[in-house]
Amino acid sequence: MNKKLNEFHSDISGFYKLPLKERQDQLAKLANLDQEEIKLLQTLGYFSPDQIDMFIENVVGSYQLPMGIGLNFKVNGKDYIIPMVIEEPSVVAAASNMAKVARKLGGFQSEEVNPVMISQIQLTHIQDIDLAKEKLASNKTKILEIANEQDPLLNKLGGGALDLEVRIIETRKGKMIILHLFVNVLDAMGANIVNTMAEAVSPYIEKLCGAKIYLRIVSNLATQRLAKCKAVFDKDLLGGEEVIEGILNAYEFAVADPFRATTHNKGIMNGIVALAQATGNDTRALEAGAHAYASLGGTYKPLTKFEVDSEGNLVGEIEVPLAFGIFGGITKNHPMARLALKILNVQSASELSQVAAALGLAQNVGALRALASEGIQKGHMALHSRNIAKLAGAPDELIEKVAKKIVEDKKIRVDYAKEVLKEIVKSKNL
Ligand code: NAD
């Protein structure tokens, strides 16, 4: 079909082959962008055109988000400044406040996180399932050897393929063997490492078992890589008995109701994902793993637990699989991720996961405390008021003024912000 120049369409073949500048020009024409918008598209910040072009396909620009720092964190006796990249107001403040509350009684205690990932190999069309199972068990050493040949550096550093697990699943296409390959990925997130190993061992396994192998891919349900962290939150700093009673009720609500548990866990992930984003980690992998783990028992459950100690303080615990890396992916290629890791000052992927678990727990207590006392909107909307002021069309120099007024008047709405803005502008012009 002939497409007229400038006629809107999304069928642009070879777009990815164009230099960045030409991609931007073509998009500007297609989407009818004005000069200001084109300038914005061309603002790459700390990236050079070559750098930004390396990350993904069809790059046309760079998208910025704010990076804040979570303060007051002490995990296993060590202090951390936690970089957080997130667009949602009050997340950083809530985490910092709750870290301060936990700090009074020793901060967060976290267990070592075993950096073991699982790769899945799907064996189908097997004649004799029991025989195949037996052959996999008796040739385990050879399979692990082939896997380990793929990553000599990882081996040299002390990591590598460790073990196998044979699972049999019933599917609508018959029985399948799902072979799990357990790999110590050390300081990497590990998806590429284990995918490479799974692909490498598959031809041998196919022959060995007389099977047809389809998928060879990491599982994001990283059950071997659990982060477990605990903290005691001081009763008085939290707001007293009544607030703790509210938090415990909120927790029981989440235990009994998946609708609530989903939002409960979303709050936890506010922190974990913000840290993941800052350090160049795979946020989707972490989200998928956490939510799958929450439903592993058959019903979707909260990832945290709460109780009260003998002094009436709140004891919180979190257990969540966390596949964080400080090596590989973009962790060392993205300049801000590199900087974030320097600020955080962690020496291993395990240490990063431990801090992330502490952050998730703090975030959760922050949200529950707000919900159980003044309600989430007070703090949230006060911060959100700046966004509302901007949405109402306030120029940068008037945002603070409009935001302050709509908070004072307890009308944090765009229509009211527009009214306030109009009044301010009018009074200035007088
Ligand atoms: P990677 O392949 O970029 O780097 C890992 C390599 O670094 C290893 O092969 C190892 O040889 C080397 N290395 C050097 N020092 C190391 C150390 N101390 N610890 C560990 N390795 C060390 O990274 P990766 O972590 O295997 O892959 C992560 C990337 O894979 C992420 O960007 C993720 O988005 C992507 N990915 C994810 C999925 C998924 O989650 N389903 C699927 C495919 C790809």
Side-chain angles (χ1 to χ4, degrees):
M1 198 172 72
N2 266 341
K3 288 180 213 94
K4 273 192 247 146
L5 199 66
N6 282 346
E7 184 188 306
F8 183 77
H9 61 93
S10 63
D11 173 10
I12 320 168
S13 64
F15 190 73
Y16 72 99
K17 289 187 202 151
L18 298 174
L20 175 60
K21 173 78 174 62
E22 283 179 38
R23 267 183 243 144
Q24 289 170 330
D25 290 346
Q26 198 164 345
L27 177 65
K29 274 191 205 134
L30 276 169
N32 202 18
L33 304 183
D34 64 26
Q35 281 311 311
E36 207 174 311
E37 288 160 341
I38 293 172
K39 213 170 139 205
L40 187 62
L41 203 61
Q42 289 170 344
T43 307
L44 301 181
Y46 45 75
F47 288 116
S48 69
D50 286 344
Q51 268 180 325
I52 194 107
D53 221 10
M54 269 180 1
F55 288 104
I56 56 166
E57 311 75 37
N58 293 349
V59 171
V60 292
S62 162
Y63 188 107
Q64 299 181 20
L65 283 172
M67 181 163 99
I69 50 171
L71 295 175
N72 307 316
F73 278 86
K74 197 187 260 292
V75 185
N76 295 339
K78 178 174 166 184
D79 268 72
Y80 293 92
I81 291 172
I82 306 184
M84 299 170 75
V85 171
I86 188 160
E87 84 298 343
E88 191 177 336
S90 61
V91 168
V92 176
S96 303
N97 287 339
M98 290 310 109
K100 197 168 202 165
V101 177
R103 196 180 174 88
K104 187 174 170 199
L105 297 172
F108 299 84
Q109 309 305 321
S110 198
E111 291 180 21
E112 190 69 28
V113 181
N114 223 357
V116 174
M117 292 300 279
I118 302 170
S119 197
Q120 299 194 289
I121 302 169
Q122 179 197 24
L123 283 73
T124 66
H125 301 90
I126 313 156
Q127 295 298 321
D128 186 336
I129 291 262
D130 290 333
L131 185 63
K133 211 175 149 185
E134 217 178 283
K135 283 188 173 174
L136 286 168
S138 55
N139 290 280
K140 179 168 124 177
T141 312
K142 177 70 186 164
I143 295 169
L144 294 178
E145 198 183 293
I146 301 171
N148 279 323
E149 279 164 10
Q150 310 312 310
D151 205 330
L153 176 57
L154 186 73
N155 265 275
K156 204 173 131 207
L157 294 169
L162 301 170
D163 206 354
L164 299 178
E165 179 191 19
V166 180
R167 294 172 55 229
I168 295 167
I169 59 167
E170 297 279 355
T171 79
R172 288 186 296 182
K173 283 203 167 285
K175 277 190 182 171
M176 294 177 190
I177 290 184
I178 306 301
L179 182 67
H180 280 187
L181 180 62
F182 298 109
V183 184
N184 180 350
V185 297
L186 297 179
D187 291 322
M189 179 268 181
N192 285 326
I193 296 177
V194 304
N195 290 347
T196 306
M197 288 184 178
E199 288 187 11
V201 297
S202 288
Y204 174 78
I205 294 174
E206 240 175 4
K207 260 199 207 139
L208 183 73
C209 300
K212 168 104 184 97
I213 289 180
Y214 284 97
L215 270 58
R216 299 146 297 165
I217 179 85
V218 68
S219 169
N220 288 113
L221 181 51
T223 51
Q224 305 289 308
R225 210 170 180 175
L226 289 184
K228 297 180 188 176
C229 180
K230 192 174 177 172
V232 183
F233 297 85
D234 182 79
K235 178 177 77 178
D236 298 323
L237 289 184
L238 257 189
E241 253 171 51
E242 185 54 35
V243 171
I244 291 187
E245 177 59 16
I247 292 177
L248 292 175
N249 272 282
Y251 167 58
E252 293 305 331
F253 177 10
V255 171
D257 179 13
F259 285 88
R260 173 58 212 153
T262 307
T263 319
H264 180 104
N265 289 343
K266 188 272 180 184
I268 294 170
M269 298 313 284
N270 272 345
I272 293 174
V273 165
L275 174 56
Q277 200 108 262
T279 53
N281 272 279
D282 187 331
T283 56
R284 291 82 55 209
L286 289 157
E287 291 270 17
H291 296 297
Y293 191 68
S295 54
L296 213 52
T299 326
Y300 189 89
K301 294 284 181 196
L303 293 162
T304 48
K305 281 187 188 152
F306 293 99
E307 60 183 21
V308 175
D309 72 6
S310 52
E311 265 99 70
N313 301 307
L314 182 75
V315 183
E317 275 179 72
I318 183 167
E319 184 176 305
V320 57
L322 290 181
F324 267 94
I326 61 163
F327 206 95
I330 63 156
T331 55
K332 293 280 191 280
N333 302 337
H334 190 292
M336 273 312 252
R338 224 171 28 233
L339 181 63
L341 280 167
K342 181 167 182 184
I343 294 169
L344 191 60
N345 187 25
V346 289
Q347 307 307 317
S348 66
S350 169
E351 192 182 346
L352 173 52
S353 299
Q354 292 175 50
V355 175
L359 179 58
L361 178 57
Q363 209 72 68
N364 189 216
V365 177
L368 295 180
R369 177 177 171 269
L371 284 168
S373 47
E374 79 262 28
I376 205 92
Q377 288 305 72
K378 189 170 168 230
H380 199 75
M381 289 311 274
L383 285 160
H384 189 52
S385 60
R386 288 191 215 118
N387 292 342
I388 299 285
K390 180 127 185 119
L391 271 180
D396 288 351
E397 66 276 13
L398 293 183
I399 286 179
E400 233 14 269
K401 208 166 181 176
V402 174
K404 196 164 167 246
K405 176 80 176 138
I406 62 177
V407 170
E408 270 169 17
D409 294 350
K410 296 193 173 73
K411 290 186 198 167
I412 308 170
R413 306 187 316 254
V414 177
D415 60 323
Y416 186 62
K418 278 186 180 166
E419 254 178 59
V420 170
L421 177 64
K422 223 175 180 175
E423 284 303 312
I424 295 174
V425 172
K426 211 162 103 190
S427 69
K428 278 199 158 187
N429 288 339
L430 281 179

